[in-house]
Amino acid sequence: MNTPLTHIIDVKVNEREQIFSAFNYTDDNLNPEFSELLYTKADQIATRGNKQQFSICIHTDSNNFETAEVAQVVHHHFHDAYDVAKRELRRLNRLAIVMLVLGIITLVLDLLAQKFADFYLLTEILNITDWVFVWETVDIWFLRCPPARREATLLRALAYATVSISADDRPLVTTYIK
């Protein structure tokens, strides 16, 4: 059984406001800049394939961080983001299927119009409509779905990432948040 490689995301923070949003008092109060930083770092170091694992190591001098609290906020935020990405992927797939069905219907109408109707303008309109519907299907499945699928995969991996807090021991690659 292949064990996926765990990618480590090292982050340096000094204040609570760099992790927690001061303006949001719901369960998802992760700082948007921190969230974006984690996603960007994950995107940069992730390899191809669905088996991604991340470990988020927060380096700090401060003692006012609890690992469980930070882990809960990070997991909750990325679970919610993953749910949104999954819904978008499902929406794209439904749209592609609808476009494919409409393309097949207009293709059949086009073939019937060419066979039984001697109306050039109608057949040309149906022919163009065929191409539009079929091309939209190709566009969705081959151009829009792969990035959306990668985003969902990364968000899911971040939702299940292990979170640890350590003393500032100067990691090899340190990322500072403003």
Side-chain angles (χ1 to χ4, degrees):
M1 180 176 225
N2 291 341
T3 305
L5 176 68
T6 300
H7 303 288
I8 299 172
I9 301 173
D10 286 310
V11 181
K12 166 78 172 149
V13 295
N14 294 321
E15 301 170 6
R16 263 182 93 72
E17 291 76 30
Q18 292 175 313
I19 295 177
F20 300 103
S21 174
F23 303 107
N24 195 352
Y25 293 104
T26 62
D27 289 337
D28 183 12
N29 65 344
L30 192 66
N31 186 328
E33 290 177 5
F34 187 68
S35 167
E36 186 63 31
L37 173 76
L38 292 177
Y39 180 81
T40 302
K41 297 293 272 180
D43 192 28
Q44 290 171 354
I45 63 176
T47 57
R48 289 178 99 69
N50 291 332
K51 301 283 186 190
Q52 302 290 330
Q53 283 187 345
F54 293 101
S55 177
I56 301 167
C57 185
I58 300 171
H59 301 271
T60 183
D61 296 334
S62 176
N63 289 335
N64 60 348
F65 293 106
E66 289 187 32
T67 304
E69 180 185 21
V70 174
Q72 178 188 7
V73 170
V74 167
H75 293 158
H76 187 273
H77 173 80
F78 285 111
H79 273 288
D80 286 352
Y82 171 63
D83 288 342
V84 170
K86 270 193 331 189
R87 280 194 302 271
E88 176 62 16
L89 198 54
R90 278 193 228 118
R91 187 192 68 77
L92 285 173
N93 280 321
R94 280 193 305 268
L95 181 62
I97 290 169
V98 167
M99 291 295 170
L100 181 63
V101 168
L102 290 174
I104 291 170
I105 290 170
T106 55
L107 179 64
V108 168
L109 290 175
D110 184 19
L111 293 173
L112 289 173
Q114 287 177 8
K115 181 82 172 166
F116 298 112
D118 192 22
F119 189 48
Y120 177 76
L121 184 60
L122 176 64
T123 58
E124 282 302 307
I125 289 171
L126 288 171
N127 195 5
I128 291 169
T129 307
D130 298 344
W131 279 104
V132 168
F133 285 135
V134 172
W135 177 250
E136 186 64 21
T137 303
V138 169
D139 176 58
I140 291 169
W141 274 335
F142 295 106
L143 299 177
R144 288 193 238 166
C145 278
R149 196 172 297 116
R150 178 173 169 78
E151 177 186 9
T153 301
L154 284 174
L155 290 170
R156 184 178 186 280
L158 286 169
Y160 290 101
T162 57
V163 178
S164 62
I165 297 176
S166 68
D168 186 13
D169 54 3
R170 302 285 183 224
L172 295 175
V173 178
T174 305
T175 304
Y176 291 90
I177 303 173
K178 295 179 187 178

